[in-house]
Amino acid sequence: MNQEYGSAELLFGFSQCYITDFSEVIKDGHTCKQFSIEYKGFLPDICPKCGKRLYKHGARTISILDTPFGGEPTEILLLYPRKHCKDCGYTWKPTFQNIDEKHNMTNRAVKDITHKALHLTFKDASDGYLLNERTVQRVFVDWIREQEKAFRFKTPHFLGLDEIIDKKLKELTVITDLEHHTLYDILQGRNQAALTAYFEKIPETDRMDIDWVCTDMYRPFEKSIKTAFPNARWTIDHFHIVMKANEALDDVRRKLQTPLPKELRLLTKKKLAYTLKKRTKDLNAIEASRIRTLREIPDFEPLIQAYDLKEEFFEIFDIGRYGKEEAAEAFDAWTMKLPMDNPLYEKYVTLGKTVHNFYEEIFQTWDCPIAISNAFTEATNRVIREMSLRGRGYSFEVLRGRALYRDTNFDRLKSYDLLGPSIDDSTEDEEVDEEGNDMSI
């Protein structure tokens, strides 16, 4: 027995195994650290299945990838014996700790690759390994599925719903926990049938405990929410309301600038478009000066009126400015100022009608025990979009897994104790190789 390099347990965690050789080889154009390891442990003589004699059945060498050694790929050539029972056909082989035999990698290599794949593209995550990005993707997808079996996210009391339009995956619905600022799930589709089918998969006792759902003004949300969450109150996120006021203001600006002389048209287009959308309280000195100048030019009186309507509308929904009844009264006063018969302000009139159509859902926000808003959901949407762009066409399973199990989200879930109990896998079929042997670690 050649023990020149010593036990493999300290370096790789393989008990009863010894390093018999070490070399540097060139594989796929990369210098690779290659360790030859041989099993020298216990060999049974009696078949554990039928109690008859076991006979030598040759040896097998498998290639195992480990984490980079000295910054270079590492390959382990693991040699182990086998024994065979001629009576029942059972073939024995040693069981190794710390090896993921499905992927022919050490457990720590799988952990390292999946952690990298959460943050990097699959191509970048393959750096330091003798792997292509397709293999990294398969490892990552298997890890996602293991996470799905192991964890269940606790259903939030305050749900946020919003949509993403992805170039490849089309419509996606993002579901968040607005109380703890965590991502709860992503589902494909956002039509009423898809939403209702998904919601009804949530255990009934959990659905009964959902108190509030915050969304935009997408009507299919309404029926799905009322069907699946009978105790929940549906509220419209104020961001989606007030942004309509900015859209109305921009519509007035574009209509006014068309007949203006070129110099004034360029002024409204290049220098005023952004300034007008800002809140008065957020204007810097130059921007505030522009607004004061506009007030002195008669041709811009309709634009200033539109600006003031926008500001007053925003003030209705400023946090802490009004109570519920005061906000409703401020809205009624605002609608009285609308130039109903002037087509220049038609989008403001439409905005007023929209608020009336969703009056209860908008104003009952003041009844919510937390400052409910979909700002976190919108921020999560941006993260998911960036992931999709970097990945250049991730599958839905990969995109969802990266978003749900990224460190930021998963750590918050753990810190708030929002992970349900592990699922017992003991009844699942054991994985076997082509000879019928147990391949579990």
Side-chain angles (χ1 to χ4, degrees), residues 144-338:
I144 290 172
R145 292 170 182 172
E146 290 172 4
Q147 298 295 98
E148 293 287 316
K149 292 178 182 178
F151 299 106
R152 180 179 64 86
F153 294 0
K154 291 183 179 178
T155 306
H157 291 288
F158 301 86
L159 279 182
L161 303 179
D162 202 8
E163 75 285 341
I164 294 177
I165 306 299
D166 184 84
K167 187 174 182 180
K168 177 185 176 182
L169 303 174
K170 308 306 180 186
E171 292 183 334
L172 305 175
T173 300
V174 176
I175 308 173
T176 60
D177 181 339
L178 297 179
E179 182 180 11
H180 301 102
H181 287 181
T182 58
L183 174 63
Y184 176 71
D185 208 350
I186 308 173
L187 66 131
Q188 283 188 291
R190 68 188 289 255
N191 60 45
Q192 187 174 305
L195 292 168
T196 302
Y198 174 84
F199 292 151
E200 290 183 346
K201 289 180 181 178
I202 298 173
E204 184 176 1
T205 52
D206 289 357
R207 287 192 277 119
M208 296 299 166
D209 287 339
I210 294 175
D211 299 319
W212 289 82
V213 182
C214 184
T215 76
D216 58 18
M217 292 168 285
Y218 183 58
R219 275 293 181 189
F221 282 143
E222 180 180 20
K223 189 169 183 180
S224 297
I225 291 167
K226 289 182 177 179
T227 300
F229 312 132
N231 297 331
R233 297 175 71 177
W234 177 37
T235 183
I236 304 297
D237 180 28
H238 288 175
F239 168 79
H240 292 281
I241 302 296
V242 296
M243 74 174 185
K244 297 291 184 184
N246 263 335
E247 291 174 5
L249 172 59
D250 213 38
D251 182 63
V252 173
R253 179 188 60 79
R254 285 195 299 268
K255 288 176 179 177
L256 286 174
Q257 75 182 24
T258 302
L260 292 176
K262 183 177 180 180
E263 183 178 347
L264 289 177
R265 188 166 65 250
L266 291 176
L267 172 66
T268 62
K269 187 174 183 180
K270 292 185 176 181
K271 294 187 177 181
L272 285 176
Y274 176 73
T275 299
L276 289 167
K277 291 180 181 179
K278 290 184 69 173
R279 298 293 306 277
T280 299
K281 61 183 180 181
D282 297 326
L283 297 175
N284 60 35
I286 295 175
E287 293 165 339
S289 176
R290 287 174 185 163
I291 297 297
R292 286 196 298 270
T293 301
L294 281 182
R295 293 186 184 279
E296 297 170 359
I297 304 174
D299 288 343
F300 286 115
E301 183 180 347
L303 186 58
I304 285 297
Q305 185 177 359
Y307 176 79
D308 291 339
L309 284 171
K310 182 266 294 185
E311 277 297 296
E312 291 174 19
F313 189 81
F314 266 81
E315 288 174 358
I316 297 170
F317 300 98
D318 280 344
I319 295 175
R321 186 181 185 90
Y322 295 121
K324 181 179 180 180
E325 292 183 2
E326 292 173 316
E329 291 172 1
F331 171 70
D332 291 339
W334 180 83
T335 58
M336 296 298 292
K337 296 179 181 179
L338 292 179

Side-chain angles (χ1 to χ4, degrees), residues 394-407:
Y394 284 140
S395 68
F396 171 71
E397 185 175 22
V398 167
L399 182 63
R400 176 179 175 272
R402 280 177 60 102
L404 284 174
Y405 299 111
R406 71 189 195 280
D407 291 344

Side-chain angles (χ1 to χ4, degrees), residues 57 137 301 388 403:
H57 194 56
Q137 180 174 345
E301 183 180 347
S388 183

